[in-house]
Amino acid sequence: MTIRFALAKGRVAKKAIALLIELGYVFDDYSEKSRKLIFQDTTGAIAFFLVKSPDVATYVEKGAADIGIVGKDVLLEHPAKVYEMLNLNIGKCRMCVAGYPDRPLPYGKKLVVGTKYPVIAKNFFQTKKQLVDIIKLNGSVELAPIIGLSDCIVDIVESGSTLKENGLAVLEEICQISSRLIVNQVSLKTKRTSIDPIIKAFETQLTTDV
Ligand code: PRP
């Protein structure tokens, strides 16, 4: 029975595919440059496909994929009914509030926040009892405070270079983020014998990496 594996296009997919190859799966027609979206291993055990990161959780929740690898940021922003089985410790970054280092945020009045993560931002400022006006953006979020669209941003910080190159800095850390292995709730029961070895293999990989 082929296990369908959903991966988010981009940096983490490359690492996840490398991990699958290290685990012994052979994907004859896979190359980083390929525009194909689905790749089957030579034994027919696994087929992985590449989708936009928020869609990984959707594919797995609906059972169109049995397994997925997705950032914790996606799971926090779009809670899905899936089993979160493993913290893979790849795709590590931080969810942060960022802005101008020398310009204190006008706490007390309504803060304008630009973000790709409106749910995470809303929840964070709610716990601080801070009123916010959240502006949902789809990318280049660092531009918002520079142009004067927002007082600050809530975004992922990995190396920190995007903030630095735009004269911004981390003001507060919200949480640590890393990639998680998620599994469809029904698949875990009905395909357990095929899924377990894959999860075990990822687990072993993690232990040997430490
Ligand atoms: C992400 C994130 C930051 C940047 C952080 O953007 O939204 O802008 O990466 O990485 P860094 O700390 O290593 O600089 P992404 O590359 O996904 O592009 P986007 O602006 O199109 O969302």
Side-chain angles (χ1 to χ4, degrees):
M1 197 185 309
T2 304
I3 297 300
R4 291 159 301 175
F5 207 148
L7 294 171
K9 282 182 195 174
R11 311 177 207 189
V12 169
K14 284 181 196 162
K15 288 186 187 169
I17 295 161
L19 212 56
L20 284 175
I21 292 168
E22 268 179 52
L23 293 175
Y25 297 104
V26 178
F27 301 94
D28 271 345
D29 51 355
Y30 172 72
S31 86
E32 270 185 32
K33 289 197 182 119
S34 173
R35 299 288 295 165
K36 260 191 87 171
L37 295 171
I38 183 156
F39 301 92
Q40 173 108 37
D41 90 301
T42 46
T43 67
I46 280 196
F48 74 79
F49 52 87
L50 300 165
V51 293
K52 291 275 185 192
S53 59
D55 296 341
V56 170
T58 309
Y59 275 87
V60 175
E61 181 175 13
K62 301 283 182 202
D66 302 299
I67 309 185
I69 291 181
V70 68
K72 184 69 180 175
D73 53 323
V74 170
L75 296 174
L76 291 171
E77 186 65 25
H78 309 274
K81 284 189 188 130
V82 295
Y83 292 129
E84 195 179 311
M85 305 293 289
L86 278 181
N87 180 352
L88 295 173
N89 283 319
I90 56 173
K92 280 188 187 175
C93 51
R94 301 181 291 155
M95 183 65 68
C96 296
V97 180
Y100 284 103
D102 53 354
R103 212 178 293 171
L105 288 180
Y107 284 122
K109 81 170 187 67
K110 201 183 238 187
L111 269 188
V112 184
V113 183
T115 187
K116 284 191 276 190
Y117 301 93
V119 173
I120 295 174
K122 182 171 164 271
N123 291 341
F124 176 70
F125 286 109
Q126 214 161 40
T127 62
K128 295 173 74 83
K129 299 192 173 11
Q130 171 63 45
L131 281 180
V132 282
D133 181 6
I134 291 172
I135 302 176
K136 165 82 166 80
L137 298 168
N138 295 295
S140 305
V141 178
E142 291 80 2
L143 200 57
I146 298 171
I147 299 293
L149 179 67
S150 70
D151 297 311
C152 62
I153 60 172
V154 164
D155 200 15
I156 291 289
V157 178
E158 193 180 350
S159 65
S161 40
T162 311
L163 287 180
K164 199 171 170 207
E165 287 185 33
N166 288 290
L168 303 173
V170 171
L171 303 179
E172 263 185 90
E173 183 178 308
I174 298 177
C175 59
Q176 302 272 337
I177 301 288
S178 58
S179 297
R180 308 300 160 106
L181 185 84
I182 58 171
V183 179
N184 173 268
Q185 296 185 339
V186 175
S187 300
L188 192 63
K189 293 188 184 81
T190 56
K191 298 185 178 177
R192 183 124 214 176
T193 46
S194 308
I195 289 176
D196 266 352
I198 299 171
I199 297 174
K200 289 262 156 44
F202 270 92
E203 233 170 357
T204 311
Q205 183 80 20
L206 289 175
T207 330
T208 32
D209 273 0
V210 174

